[in-house]
Amino acid sequence: MDEGHLEMPEVPEKTNIGMKPIRMDKGKLKGPSENALQAACCRWFKYQYPQRLLIAVPNGAVLGGKNRWAMISMLKNTGLCLGTPDIFIPEPVAHAKGLWVEMKTLTGKVNENQAAMHEKLSARGYMVAVCRSVNEFAETVTNYFGG
């Protein structure tokens, strides 16, 4: 057992930790939102690796109201980078400086800004992954840490 690593029962393939079940909608598979998926992945990580760091990057946060454009401008002026993945795990391992994770729904696509940022991060020695389920996230993180 790794330092601070708790054993969590294996998650059956068709479960969604803390999320509504996947359903069919007009003949299309409908899964959880990116936010619900990310929240479940963060809960899993905090339970599984309580001594390790996970940082959420709110690049995709919904900004509303009459000051929306002023807020976006302020965020860009203070370092907002389009395309930055949703989660950063700043825990270096032998093969990477850290792990960046882009969360996507079952049908979500990586956009041009995201693909360009993923390439930049990979070129700098970081591992980058796109995950569409809690199980995929758990497998990615476990493999990253050598498990």
Side-chain angles (χ1 to χ4, degrees):
M1 193 179 315
D2 191 343
E3 96 223 3
H5 183 88
L6 299 176
E7 290 300 321
M8 182 174 169
E10 192 166 316
V11 180
E13 191 61 38
K14 296 200 177 197
T15 61
N16 295 303
I17 299 170
M19 296 183 289
K20 293 180 182 176
I22 294 173
R23 64 190 186 286
M24 295 297 284
D25 188 19
K26 295 182 183 175
K28 294 182 181 177
L29 194 60
K30 190 90 170 158
S33 70
E34 263 187 46
N35 287 340
L37 177 59
Q38 183 170 334
C41 289
C42 289
R43 282 193 301 275
W44 175 87
F45 184 90
K46 288 175 183 176
Y47 177 81
Q48 193 73 6
Y49 300 100
Q51 301 304 315
R52 296 194 185 264
L53 294 176
L54 178 147
I55 300 167
V57 180
N59 273 358
V62 177
L63 300 171
K66 64 181 183 178
N67 294 324
R68 180 175 189 265
W69 294 110
M71 180 59 78
I72 289 171
S73 177
M74 190 230 14
L75 290 172
K76 283 184 178 179
N77 289 336
T78 58
L80 174 74
C81 293
L82 296 177
T84 301
D86 302 302
I87 294 173
F88 180 45
I89 299 172
E91 300 281 349
V93 294
H95 57 88
K97 295 178 179 179
L99 173 61
W100 288 92
V101 181
E102 181 69 48
M103 302 306 304
K104 289 293 176 193
T105 62
L106 294 173
T107 57
K109 293 178 177 34
V110 173
N111 68 38
E112 195 174 297
N113 290 328
Q114 291 168 334
M117 181 61 79
H118 295 181
E119 285 181 30
K120 290 175 185 176
L121 292 168
S122 292
R124 286 165 173 77
Y126 295 96
M127 182 177 163
V128 180
V130 177
C131 295
R132 298 175 185 282
S133 70
V134 175
N135 290 335
E136 190 174 4
F137 177 81
E139 183 179 332
T140 298
V141 170
T142 301
N143 289 340
Y144 176 77
F145 288 133

